[in-house]
Amino acid sequence: MARIFEGFDPEHSALTVSELSERTGIPLPSTSRMVTEMIEYGWLCRDADKRVRLGMRIWELVARAAPVNEVRAAALPVMTELLGRVGQPVRLSVRAGREALCVERLGAPGAVRDATTVGGRAPLQASAPGLVLLAHAPADLRESVLSERLPRNPEDAVTDRNTLRRLLSEIRSTGLAHYPGTTLAVPVRAAGGRTVAALSVVLPDAGLIRPVVPPLRAAGARLSRALGDGAPARGLPDTLTA
């Protein structure tokens, strides 16, 4: 059944049974049987077009158990205030294995369009939040990522491991990442100083970077103090998945 859940993502939130079968590699009869059973439990549901979606029961279970919920609860007031100051989309991301996972996002009318959705993922080296999380990840994970072949897209700010290594060192030193120039991110630390999340702002152009840095840094520091002084994030692992 886990493979059925993994068949959904932010771009494929509603699927036919046939599409689920194709995306998961599970034979159609088995997919149909499992979907029927999961609908009975409320884990899946059918919409008005008879397409299959994740059910409310899954949302309920995740809302109870997700290790990021305490961090999100602490972050929302800070993110709301930051949004009011900068007027541009604000995100909270955590590390999930080798990816940055967006767990909360706030936007505003008239702000730049932010293509990232809650639940959206990106490789650690391919976003400002990811770079912050990678810079503060365990050394063995950083070296593992650095040993991989990096993307050669000319629009990417990081195209070789030497550049990435220097950039990660700079981020650890300055506490700020930008990628590819109009997304800024700072680390969020819990008790003990460990980085558990990244707080970021998406900007319409590079000209806004300088005035946004101080309020973003202040918001990251405020959230870190909240997490360090209280119970939130005490049980949050450094990564959500292996």
Side-chain angles (χ1 to χ4, degrees):
M1 288 186 178
R3 288 167 64 188
I4 294 293
F5 289 131
E6 291 175 354
F8 297 93
D9 60 37
E11 295 181 1
H12 302 89
S13 59
L15 299 166
T16 66
V17 174
S18 295
E19 289 170 338
L20 261 177
S21 175
E22 293 175 3
R23 288 177 60 81
T24 60
I26 301 173
L28 182 58
S30 298
T31 302
S32 180
R33 175 181 55 78
M34 286 190 284
V35 165
T36 298
E37 183 176 348
M38 294 169 78
I39 287 175
E40 291 176 357
Y41 282 106
W43 296 345
L44 299 177
C45 64
R46 293 188 189 274
D47 61 20
D49 297 323
K50 305 300 182 182
R51 298 172 73 84
V52 180
R53 294 178 176 269
L54 295 177
M56 289 295 293
R57 179 61 174 162
I58 289 298
W59 176 87
E60 181 183 353
L61 293 173
V62 170
R64 292 177 185 172
V68 298
N69 281 345
E70 291 179 341
V71 176
R72 287 178 62 248
L76 277 171
V78 177
M79 295 174 67
T80 300
E81 180 179 324
L82 179 60
L83 176 65
R85 295 190 65 181
V86 302
Q88 298 298 337
V90 178
R91 300 183 205 150
L92 182 71
S93 304
V94 298
R95 183 168 67 84
R98 293 169 173 263
E99 296 177 305
L101 171 66
C102 177
V103 295
E104 189 56 84
R105 172 185 171 278
L106 300 180
V112 65
R113 180 179 178 274
D114 181 11
T116 299
T117 60
V118 173
R121 294 171 177 250
L124 290 173
Q125 68 271 23
S127 70
L131 288 171
V132 164
L133 296 167
L134 181 58
H136 296 282
D140 57 347
L141 175 64
R142 292 200 305 272
E143 291 304 315
S144 177
V145 172
L146 284 164
S147 70
E148 297 175 350
R149 177 175 296 182
L150 298 177
R152 295 300 176 183
N153 185 336
E155 295 182 358
D156 288 339
V158 184
T159 57
D160 68 84
R161 61 177 54 89
N162 289 330
T163 300
L164 179 56
R165 190 184 298 276
R166 289 194 299 270
L167 181 58
L168 295 178
S169 177
E170 179 182 334
I171 291 169
R172 287 192 296 274
S173 175
T174 65
L176 180 73
H178 58 91
Y179 179 99
T182 54
T183 302
L184 299 176
V186 296
V188 174
R189 298 183 172 90
R194 65 191 181 100
T195 297
V196 295
L199 185 65
S200 59
V201 176
V202 182
L203 302 174
D205 61 74
L208 292 177
I209 290 178
R210 187 179 296 273
V212 166
V213 168
L216 176 59
R217 285 190 184 277
R222 177 184 166 196
L223 179 53
S224 295
R225 286 194 300 272
L227 296 178
D229 293 341
R234 192 170 297 164
L236 180 68
D238 291 329
T239 180
L240 301 183
T241 59

